[in-house]
Amino acid sequence: MLLRLLLFCGLATVATSTLAMTLYKSTDAHGEVFFSDRQTPGAQAFVIQERRTERVSRPVLERPKPRYPQPAYRYPLPWRGGPFRLTQGPNGSFSHTDAKSRYAMDIAMPEGTPIIAARSGVVMNIENEQVGRGNDASGNFVRVQHDDGTQGVYLHLKQGSVSVRPGQRVRVGGALGLSGNTGNSSGPHLHFVVQQHTEAGLVSIPYEFNQPVGTLPNFALGN
Ligand SMILES: [Zn+2]
């Protein structure tokens, strides 16, 4: 035990020892000042010390990596053209009142506006044959499963315009179809919603576009 203690003290001494060097400052016969590592009579001694630090010799890879919080995904605008305006936002009193559509946004735009994927993923299902109001309140739509498990849904598309099929992988900006006025829609617009499966079923979740979208008064462009 004593041996181990002595050994430990020895190691500790090495770890904290310093590199020291003594220089001597002298003035020669011509008045020139010079420094030497040899001591001469009347020379002024300087001790230069450099602390030996363990950190310097450690590999760079051992440094702990800083951790940053992951920023929430911000959705690029899922259409080409514009600028278009928001007519009903999250918690809109006209039709964004239930769990599946609470955080949806309605953007008024002319029928036939190209609708593009705001986030990459795999197409889950589509509807492409509905005429007018039809039987499904969603009208024609594309539902994309994102890699984080959330789903982006693009509603009220124009009949026959959906250009993707279930199982197809889409990238950000990839064409999905054209905007329309099908299903429970009282004017040409896109209803874009992000949803997630929870214990309470499929619910909408808040999302943000990556740039500001202007707003118009609610012209009762529904659902
Ligand atoms: Zn809506």
Side-chain angles (χ1 to χ4, degrees):
M1 184 64 196
L2 184 61
L3 184 65
R4 285 182 68 178
L5 189 63
L6 284 172
L7 194 63
F8 176 79
C9 289
L11 285 172
T13 304
V14 168
T16 58
S17 69
T18 55
L19 295 173
M21 184 179 181
T22 305
L23 285 180
Y24 299 95
K25 179 185 178 186
S26 307
T27 307
D28 68 9
H30 305 286
E32 298 270 355
V33 176
F34 67 97
F35 291 88
S36 169
D37 59 353
R38 292 185 183 173
Q39 189 172 17
T40 53
Q44 187 181 357
F46 291 89
V47 177
I48 299 170
Q49 291 194 338
E50 185 184 350
R51 184 168 290 277
R52 184 187 303 215
T53 54
E54 290 293 303
R55 211 185 314 166
V56 171
S57 62
R58 279 183 190 160
V60 174
L61 287 175
E62 283 186 16
R63 284 183 189 166
K65 290 175 184 167
R67 290 187 181 182
Y68 302 106
Q70 292 294 313
Y73 183 82
R74 291 167 66 84
Y75 290 74
L77 303 182
W79 61 81
R80 295 200 194 284
F84 302 128
R85 303 282 177 178
L86 192 73
T87 51
Q88 186 180 194
N91 289 303
S93 59
F94 182 72
S95 60
H96 295 173
T97 51
D98 67 353
K100 283 187 174 181
S101 63
R102 180 156 294 127
Y103 298 105
M105 296 197 219
D106 288 338
I107 300 96
M109 61 184 69
E111 281 191 59
T113 300
I115 300 302
I116 58 178
R119 191 170 188 174
S120 61
V122 176
V123 177
M124 291 182 69
N125 52 353
I126 64 163
E127 170 62 57
N128 197 25
E129 304 303 326
Q130 199 160 320
V131 181
R133 291 190 70 85
N135 299 318
D136 187 343
S138 301
N140 300 308
F141 67 88
V142 175
R143 177 178 293 272
V144 176
Q145 171 100 38
H146 305 141
D147 295 338
D148 70 346
T150 60
Q151 301 168 11
V153 199
Y154 309 74
L155 273 65
H156 310 308
L157 304 181
K158 188 175 180 178
Q159 186 205 13
S161 76
V162 174
S163 57
V164 291
R165 49 179 165 52
Q168 180 179 339
R169 179 145 193 104
V170 292
R171 58 175 175 77
V172 175
L176 300 179
L178 301 176
S179 71
N181 189 27
T182 57
N184 184 16
S185 174
S186 50
H189 78 286
L190 172 71
H191 169 114
F192 178 60
V193 63
V194 181
Q195 297 176 330
Q196 186 164 33
H197 275 294
T198 68
E199 289 181 1
L202 197 61
V203 301
S204 67
I205 57 175
Y207 70 90
E208 286 183 18
F209 288 124
N210 68 356
Q211 61 178 278
V213 179
T215 56
L216 285 177
N218 186 349
F219 295 137
L221 296 178
N223 213 31

